[in-house]
Amino acid sequence: MAAFDIFARILATLALGAVTAVQVAVGAFAIAALLGLLLAICRTFTHSRLLQWAIAGYIEWMRNVPALAHLFLLYFGLAAVGLRLSPLTAAVIGLGLVGAAILCDVFASGLKSLHVGQREAALSVGLTPVKTLRHVLLPQMLRVTLPSLGNYVSQLLKDTSIASAIAAPEIMFFARNLVTSTFETTLIYLAAMLLYAAMILPISWAFARTERRLETQR
């Protein structure tokens, strides 16, 4: 019974970090989705070589440098030149910028998979390029990219754990503090694993169910 009580208190403490983890994930996803979509549209429909090279360079840099290094640069590097970001702000921006590179590839692949005739047909009946993108291309692109988008969201929620390295009060931050003060290592990290699973499994299930429903509507 004593072990159960200790485990319950550990879960209650780590739940505070779970709230922060969700906040970081939501903020980072918003940045990643908006910037990633903008980059994907530019990469797909813009013929400027300079812009194409710039986008390709951004994607390669963000995908090949560890996300933790970006967080350190935002949190410690900017502080060295007088610009101080809070741990949560640095985590949201850092993970969001990395995510934009990932989602740019996802969205661009989705747009390129659509038949070019759909865009031409929409333009021929009088739709503007913006309306064609909004009403014809983007809805179909989201259907195609939904599985990859679900995988990214699940991975992003797990990646919020690295924000503890810059003192963001998420799950692993509280877990390490509890280990230092109580030495209940097994119970603490088991509780952390259960919390991550409790957050991520419903997300994976929701994306999978949405994908199945869209498949049946075709």
Side-chain angles (χ1 to χ4, degrees), residues 103-127:
L103 292 187
C104 174
D105 274 347
V106 171
F107 292 149
S109 297
L111 288 171
K112 290 176 182 177
S113 71
L114 304 179
H115 195 282
V116 66
Q118 297 188 49
R119 182 168 180 262
E120 294 173 350
L123 293 173
S124 68
V125 298
L127 290 181

Side-chain angles (χ1 to χ4, degrees), residues 128-182:
T128 65
V130 173
K131 287 185 177 180
T132 297
L133 186 65
R134 178 181 176 185
H135 297 293
V136 179
L137 301 182
L138 289 186
Q140 296 183 74
M141 180 271 288
L142 287 175
R143 283 174 178 252
V144 173
T145 60
L146 194 62
S148 297
L149 199 58
N151 291 337
Y152 167 72
V153 172
S154 298
Q155 186 61 49
L156 174 62
L157 198 49
K158 289 184 284 186
D159 286 345
T160 59
S161 61
I162 68 175
S164 63
I166 57 172
E170 52 73 62
I171 295 174
M172 297 308 295
F173 176 84
F174 281 104
R176 285 207 296 266
N177 287 346
L178 284 172
V179 168
T180 302
S181 60
T182 67

Side-chain angles (χ1 to χ4, degrees), residues 17-124:
V19 174
T20 301
V22 171
Q23 291 173 338
V24 170
V26 170
F29 178 76
I31 294 174
L34 292 175
L35 182 56
L37 181 59
L38 177 61
L39 293 174
I41 292 172
C42 292
R43 194 177 193 186
T44 305
F45 301 114
T46 302
H47 301 293
S48 168
R49 285 189 177 183
L50 181 60
L51 184 58
Q52 293 286 348
W53 289 340
I55 293 173
Y58 173 82
I59 291 172
E60 289 302 314
W61 175 259
M62 286 295 175
R63 296 192 68 168
N64 290 289
V65 174
L68 185 58
H70 293 294
L71 267 60
F72 279 164
L73 180 63
L74 288 169
Y75 186 65
F76 297 111
L78 293 182
V81 296
L83 181 57
R84 296 187 178 276
L85 300 178
S86 70
L88 262 64
T89 301
V92 167
I93 294 174
L95 292 176
L97 293 177
V98 173
I102 297 171
L103 292 187
C104 174
D105 274 347
V106 171
F107 292 149
S109 297
L111 288 171
K112 290 176 182 177
S113 71
L114 304 179
H115 195 282
V116 66
Q118 297 188 49
R119 182 168 180 262
E120 294 173 350
L123 293 173
S124 68

